[in-house]
Amino acid sequence: MNKFHGLGTALITPFQPDGSVDYKALEQLLDLQIAGGADYLVVLGTTAEAATMSDDERHAVMQAIKNHVAGRVPLVLGCGGNNTAAVCQLLRTSDLSGFSAILSVCPYYNKPSQEGLFRHFCAIAEASPIPVILYNVPGRTGVNLLPETVMRIYDAHPDKITGIKEASGNLEQIRHLISMSQGKLSVISGDDGIAAEVMQAGGAGLISVLSNAYPAEVHSIVHHADSALQAKFARLITLLFKEGNPSGIKTVLAQRGIISNVLRLPLVSNSEAVQAEIADTIK
């Protein structure tokens, strides 16, 4: 089973001014990630605005990424939701060839108990033909997947649960999970701002938003647990999420001439004030 270590980039989806997917910019972004040393790529996650894309668009983006990457780095597919049966059905019927794992977020909005989370992820593990990376992000889902529940899920399905993207922002909780896991599964930071600290605690790496624009630098932060370099990006990291994700990183990429600064509703581009702050910070 694949273990995920190092830098994974949570890919954005570039859009044309008319709102359609910009496949040329997507290919340029993929090449930037690979040249910058990204160890794997996360496709169609939250940062990709996958929730605003049709089934046909998601399928087309999956195929375009697989074809362009052509096995140069592993690919992880975002595949989660708050309807367990629907997620399981999708996993059973989708063509997941070319993907090394799925990243599955905690159910959002309906706020299940820890027992509900356990049963949800056990069902996903049983349905998925490839390894599963759990994704804990309480700020978006409204529920916190506790370390004890993570290990309970792993113990029930050690052949499928390969890691967890931990984006609670709670270093004490993350350190506790790393200690409990004893290296059995990869504990991956989901926060750019604490990646070095998670690595120093024994974490496996980072799934990053910032690396869309700065893959080489974030690679160095992760592989060297470089808190000094991370500190140089602290202001920019704060600005990336000031008005929501991926608004901030799309502003950075647009200012660097890589993409058009286009998002799909209900997300919108950063305000002029934040765009100016980002431009000043980049300089």
Side-chain angles (χ1 to χ4, degrees):
M1 185 167 60
N2 293 295
K3 294 285 185 179
F4 291 87
H5 297 269
L7 172 61
T9 296
L11 287 168
I12 62 106
T13 304
F15 296 124
Q16 303 267 17
D18 66 1
S20 61
V21 176
D22 187 341
Y23 288 100
K24 182 178 179 181
L26 178 59
E27 291 180 355
Q28 292 173 339
L29 183 66
L30 292 169
D31 290 338
L32 175 66
Q33 299 310 307
I34 295 170
D39 296 292
Y40 59 98
L41 304 175
V42 178
V43 177
L44 294 177
T46 307
T47 302
E49 300 174 76
T52 68
M53 298 166 67
S54 68
D55 290 342
D56 287 344
E57 284 178 319
R58 286 192 290 269
H59 179 73
V61 168
M62 284 171 59
Q63 294 302 315
I65 291 173
K66 283 197 299 184
N67 291 341
H68 192 74
V69 170
R72 288 179 286 172
V73 293
L75 300 175
V76 175
L77 178 67
C79 189
N82 61 355
N83 180 336
T84 308
V87 176
C88 291
Q89 178 66 11
L90 183 65
L91 288 168
R92 293 189 185 101
T93 58
S94 296
D95 176 13
L96 299 179
S97 60
F99 289 90
S100 298
I102 66 162
L103 176 69
S104 196
V105 71
C106 289
Y108 38 83
Y109 187 74
N110 43 21
K111 299 180 71 173
S113 65
Q114 295 298 305
E115 180 65 24
L117 291 170
F118 170 74
R119 297 188 189 186
H120 171 81
F121 283 118
C122 283
I124 285 174
E126 291 165 6
S128 179
I130 57 178
V132 177
I133 302 173
L134 310 176
Y135 181 12
N136 186 38
V137 56
R140 284 185 177 270
T141 64
V143 64
N144 185 21
L145 183 63
L146 297 176
E148 293 76 11
T149 307
V150 172
M151 295 314 302
R152 188 179 169 208
I153 297 166
Y154 172 81
D155 289 339
H157 295 280
D159 58 326
K160 282 290 179 66
I161 306 301
T162 188
I164 178 170
K165 177 184 177 183
E166 234 296 353
S168 66
N170 185 334
L171 267 172
E172 182 179 353
Q173 175 171 302
I174 295 169
R175 290 185 178 116
H176 181 47
L177 177 56
I178 290 169
S179 176
M180 287 186 70
S181 70
Q182 297 181 325
K184 294 177 182 177
L185 75 166
S186 301
V187 180
I188 304 161
S189 175
D191 293 294
D192 283 286
I194 59 172
E197 290 79 4
V198 172
M199 295 303 294
Q200 291 162 8
L206 166 70
I207 293 177
S208 172
V209 173
L210 179 64
S211 61
N212 277 277
Y214 296 99
E217 292 84 350
V218 180
H219 180 275
S220 184
I221 290 170
V222 172
H223 282 268
H224 301 289
D226 192 338
S227 53
L229 180 57
Q230 179 178 280
K232 293 181 179 180
F233 282 93
R235 175 63 178 160
L236 182 57
I237 291 169
T238 298
L239 288 170
L240 290 185
F241 303 98
K242 189 171 183 177
E243 293 181 335
N245 179 53
S247 299
I249 191 61
K250 283 198 162 182
T251 292
V252 175
L253 290 165
Q255 290 181 359
R256 298 188 67 196
I258 298 171
I259 66 166
S260 298
N261 197 357
V262 180
L263 293 93
R264 288 184 175 178
L265 289 172
L267 299 178
V268 295
S269 300
N270 286 134
S271 63
E272 290 185 7
V274 170
Q275 290 191 47
E277 283 188 88
I278 287 175
D280 183 63
T281 302
I282 289 173
K283 289 177 184 177

